[in-house]
Amino acid sequence: FGFRFFSHFFSIVDCDLTKGEADPTKQANKQATAAAAAAAATLAMGCMGSQIPQAPKEEQQANKRLERELAERQKKEQKIIKILLLGAGESGKSTIFKQMQILYHNGFTEYEKTTFRHVVRRNVLESMQAILLGVARFGYQLGSAEAERAAKFLTDLDPLAPDFWIDDIVDHIDLLWNKGDAAIASAYANRSE
């Protein structure tokens, strides 16, 4: 019945009563309006008896919680500043990264501190061993028997061994470096040769 009712509108012709003839513009508008009304009625008739199923409340709450978490993550991600460090090897990229970590991020973890401590200690020992090689290469003589024992102790150590560091190393390096042995100072001064 409803469809026939709306299909009846398709055949309505508007007439201009002053002229006594059909107005094609009004007729086209009337037909378009009738077609839209028919489509709406058909859609309404099909949906009258059915309902769109609603998600259970638990699912809705979980969905809202996830949406909030995603929004929070997005806000945090927008606050992160990303930097691309480019450069040749040994140009200081890692140094800049470590300085930024110290200054702007809560420093280093205990694991990182332990790892860096090992690296720094190895570098200190290797550097003193290189200076002692320079002393021998340039033919310099260490100033005392105590300095000779310290030099022998340091050159016999293997800095690549995992447990090479002992506290006596500090005393021996201090004796050679800070106590003013002229051979060490001369070898260091000529390090670029």
Side-chain angles (χ1 to χ4, degrees):
F1 174 75
F3 185 75
R4 279 190 206 154
F5 174 75
F6 286 107
S7 67
H8 176 66
F9 281 96
F10 291 126
S11 61
I12 293 177
V13 176
D14 284 337
C15 295
D16 188 351
L17 298 176
T18 57
K19 295 183 183 178
E21 51 190 57
D23 182 1
T25 306
K26 285 185 177 180
Q27 184 173 343
N29 288 341
K30 191 71 160 184
Q31 286 178 349
T33 304
T42 304
L43 181 62
M45 287 173 50
C47 294
M48 286 291 201
S50 63
Q51 294 180 351
I52 298 173
Q54 294 292 323
K57 291 209 183 268
E58 298 87 23
E59 289 181 12
Q60 289 176 350
Q61 291 172 348
N63 186 40
K64 286 181 182 179
R65 188 180 69 249
L66 288 173
E67 286 177 357
R68 276 193 310 270
E69 287 177 13
L70 286 173
E72 288 174 12
R73 284 185 189 174
Q74 186 176 13
K75 284 181 184 177
K76 286 180 184 177
E77 189 70 26
Q78 287 176 346
K79 292 180 181 179
I80 294 174
I81 298 171
K82 297 178 182 176
I83 300 173
L84 177 63
L85 298 175
L86 299 175
E90 301 295 322
S91 65
K93 299 179 297 292
S94 296
T95 304
I96 290 174
F97 175 74
K98 289 173 189 171
Q99 286 296 319
M100 301 258 312
Q101 188 173 7
I102 291 169
L103 295 173
Y104 301 109
H105 192 264
N106 301 320
F108 297 111
T109 65
E110 285 303 315
Y111 174 76
E112 291 170 328
K113 289 177 186 177
T114 302
T115 303
F116 294 146
R117 185 178 303 123
H118 183 77
V119 169
V120 168
R121 287 176 172 174
R122 188 181 73 220
N123 286 344
V124 167
L125 180 59
E126 287 176 345
S127 296
M128 183 52 76
Q129 287 175 337
I131 291 171
L132 289 169
L133 285 173
V135 167
R137 181 174 157 222
F138 292 120
Y140 300 132
Q141 295 296 318
L142 294 171
S144 68
E146 190 178 20
E148 289 286 341
R149 282 192 301 275
K152 171 92 170 95
F153 176 82
L154 293 173
T155 54
D156 287 344
L157 291 173
D158 180 11
L160 298 178
D163 57 346
F164 74 92
W165 190 263
I166 55 175
D167 290 335
D168 291 346
I169 294 173
V170 175
D171 296 332
H172 293 299
I173 291 175
D174 181 56
L175 172 78
L176 294 170
W177 186 259
N178 291 328
K179 301 296 190 239
D181 194 292
I184 297 295
S186 298
Y188 180 76
N190 294 319
R191 66 188 175 275
S192 62
E193 292 181 22

